Amino acid sequence: MLAQSLSSPSIFRHLPAILMMAIVLPLLAGCGYNTIPTAEENAKAAWSEVLNQYQRRADLIPNLVETVKGYAAHEKDTLDAVVEARAKATQITVTPETLKDPEALKKFQDAQAGLTSALSRLIAVSEAYPDLKANQNFLALQAQLEGTENRIAVARRDYIQAVKDYNLTLKTFPSVLWATFWFLSNEPFANFTVEEDKMQPPKVDFGTKQGG
């Protein structure tokens, strides 16, 4: 009975597959099969943090605009420009699932850069209003905006590195083998391309520092 089972043609028919599994599975574990999905998830998580920090900035702006309006209502053009830039920036969203689209990311970058520029103009205007610069609510907003801009810069830098790492896994050995045979739908993610000077956060110093 045992001899018949061992000599069964089905055993020999499946033997190559069994041997292949025995060889391939250790290779998958040892040669970084998980490298691509891990790098992809890291990049998506980094992008989510970028979105969180930009949203934090957007949430601060209405209060900032209202505070400035209380002291500089006649600076209507500057205030309206900030409100309009904020509306445009919040209307354009790039989800982690659509990071393969460079055009979508470019539109997002341009909108955020436009808001940064509008905020810079608002901050420059505020220098002419000493009472505004001494207002406690304004000072609190100053600190929050400065902290948010710093977090945006860090989140953006982390995303750039995470995308670089992920995109490299799709092109370098041995992970390129997994990209070729197993992760066919994976594509490189888009990265920030806006000029560095347009990505710089506005200077949040309303003349309140010593010697200012």
Side-chain angles (χ1 to χ4, degrees), residues 10 34 52-53 55 64 73 84 92 112 137 154 169 178 197 211:
S10 62
N34 291 324
N52 288 340
Q53 297 309 328
Q55 185 60 51
L64 177 64
E84 183 179 348
I92 300 175
Q112 295 297 341
N137 187 46
V154 171
T169 67
W178 314 135
D197 61 332

Side-chain angles (χ1 to χ4, degrees), residues 145-165:
L145 183 59
E146 182 176 22
T148 299
E149 292 294 351
N150 290 336
R151 283 190 287 269
I152 286 173
V154 171
R156 192 168 52 213
R157 190 163 57 242
D158 289 347
Y159 171 75
I160 290 171
Q161 184 60 53
V163 168
K164 180 180 177 182
D165 293 343

Side-chain angles (χ1 to χ4, degrees), residues 35-167:
T35 300
I36 290 175
T38 299
E40 181 183 21
E41 290 307 311
N42 288 343
K44 287 181 177 180
W47 178 250
S48 294
E49 183 61 18
V50 170
L51 293 180
N52 288 340
Q53 297 309 328
Y54 274 125
Q55 185 60 51
R56 182 193 292 267
R57 179 172 73 169
D59 292 343
L60 286 172
I61 290 173
N63 197 3
L64 177 64
V65 168
E66 287 303 312
T67 300
V68 173
K69 189 183 295 184
Y71 291 85
H74 60 282
E75 302 284 357
K76 187 175 184 304
D77 289 345
T78 303
L79 292 166
D80 287 349
V82 173
V83 172
E84 183 179 348
R86 178 188 182 276
K88 184 180 295 184
T90 54
Q91 286 170 0
I92 300 175
T93 302
V94 178
T95 65
E97 289 70 34
T98 57
L99 285 172
K100 301 173 185 177
D101 185 352
E103 284 300 316
L105 184 57
K106 180 65 164 57
K107 290 178 181 178
F108 177 87
Q109 293 177 81
D110 288 341
Q112 295 297 341
L115 180 52
T116 296
S117 179
L119 280 172
S120 296
R121 291 194 295 273
L122 180 64
I123 290 169
V125 163
S126 70
E127 287 290 340
Y129 300 90
D131 290 343
L132 170 62
K133 293 189 293 181
N135 178 270
Q136 291 302 310
N137 187 46
F138 191 72
L139 292 175
L141 287 168
Q142 168 192 350
Q144 293 178 58
L145 183 59
E146 182 176 22
T148 299
E149 292 294 351
N150 290 336
R151 283 190 287 269
I152 286 173
V154 171
R156 192 168 52 213
R157 190 163 57 242
D158 289 347
Y159 171 75
I160 290 171
Q161 184 60 53
V163 168
K164 180 180 177 182
D165 293 343
Y166 169 63
N167 289 349

